[in-house]
Amino acid sequence: MAAECAIDGCAVLAIGRCRECGRAFCMSHQAHNEITGEGYAALCIQCLQRRQRVSGGSDARADAREALERNWVTSGQAAMDLYAAGIAPLPVVERRSRFVKQRFGRPREEIDEIEVGALWVIGRFEWTEMQEIPETREWTTGLLVRPSGGYPVAMVARAVARCKVTDGLATLIRDARYGDSFTQLERREIPRIIAAIRALARSTTGDVPAQ
């Protein structure tokens, strides 16, 4: 029999069990990372709130500074500042294959490179592939000129993307559409990403970080 949410007598179908209090929780009572928005697989919202009360919270001014820095990126202002600094982004291309009929013989395969956007490469940062055994590794990461849906975005992780750079062109690295896992940016990398964007905006050469 499927477990039911035990938080506040909810009784909705549960999606996980809290490792701290042992109670089952539903989507509404699942704790979420306040930076990335991702849900914690084994933590309920009440235990997260209890942690925050025990810790007493961090310095309010530091929190405000961090929020301003994140907003600088999520609002799109960081992208505008890079443009204002005269730092050109790299084109993002997708390679699309098609077969062209020939008068004689088999169809010939042609590969087109279609420009679908642009980004600024900001360095290598850790992303975790959420699978049965999570794997964390560094990926070349870029700040998107225009994320899906445009700016503003809900979180820093939506403003950046994993990429590969070859001959001055970037290609995005995405999870398989119907894969059994997804990849998310590590929260601890967000301050480093913001610092890297700040450094790039202050640079005078606009050199791409080493791959």
Side-chain angles (χ1 to χ4, degrees):
M1 180 178 178
E4 296 179 345
C5 178
I7 310 298
D8 291 335
C10 176
V12 171
L13 185 66
I15 62 167
R17 187 173 295 279
C18 181
R19 63 175 174 267
E20 295 195 5
C21 67
R23 294 178 297 176
F25 56 80
C26 65
M27 291 182 67
S28 297
H29 290 107
Q30 180 183 25
H32 286 75
N33 184 312
E34 68 272 21
I35 305 299
T36 67
E38 303 290 349
Y40 291 109
L43 187 66
C44 73
I45 191 169
Q46 288 188 349
C47 284
L48 176 62
Q49 292 170 345
R50 188 177 302 112
R51 281 184 182 181
Q52 293 169 340
R53 287 195 299 270
V54 170
S55 66
S58 55
D59 181 78
R61 286 176 295 182
D63 286 348
R65 278 196 305 271
E66 290 176 5
L68 283 173
E69 288 288 276
R70 294 194 300 271
N71 185 66
W72 178 64
V73 175
T74 59
S75 67
Q77 186 62 48
M80 293 176 62
D81 288 349
L82 288 173
Y83 269 127
I87 301 171
L90 296 181
V92 173
V93 299
E94 285 186 357
R95 293 178 172 84
R96 299 174 183 173
S97 175
R98 61 192 176 105
F99 288 90
V100 179
K101 290 184 179 180
Q102 299 187 92
R103 182 171 296 181
F104 302 104
R106 296 179 179 178
R108 183 182 72 253
E109 183 180 12
E110 293 185 350
I111 297 176
D112 298 326
E113 289 186 342
I114 310 298
E115 187 171 335
V116 295
L119 57 72
W120 292 275
V121 177
I122 52 176
R124 294 180 63 83
F125 301 93
E126 289 186 345
W127 297 70
T128 298
E129 185 178 1
M130 307 305 294
Q131 50 189 344
E132 187 173 352
I133 301 177
E135 179 184 2
T136 300
R137 58 180 172 134
E138 289 188 340
W139 291 89
T140 300
T141 302
L143 174 69
L144 297 168
V145 169
R146 179 179 172 81
S148 177
Y151 286 107
V153 292
M155 58 193 74
V156 172
R158 298 289 183 264
V160 297
R162 297 174 295 154
C163 62
K164 181 178 180 181
V165 178
T166 306
D167 297 329
L169 298 174
T171 53
L172 298 185
I173 300 172
R174 300 188 178 99
D175 289 326
R177 186 180 297 273
Y178 300 109
D180 294 325
S181 63
F182 65 94
T183 306
Q184 66 181 34
L185 177 68
E186 283 293 303
R187 175 183 177 181
R188 63 178 174 270
E189 296 289 50
I190 291 175
R192 293 184 60 231
I193 283 175
I194 294 172
I197 299 171
R198 289 281 187 194
L200 183 59
R202 289 193 299 267
S203 71
T204 56
T205 61
D207 290 338
V208 173
Q211 303 300 300

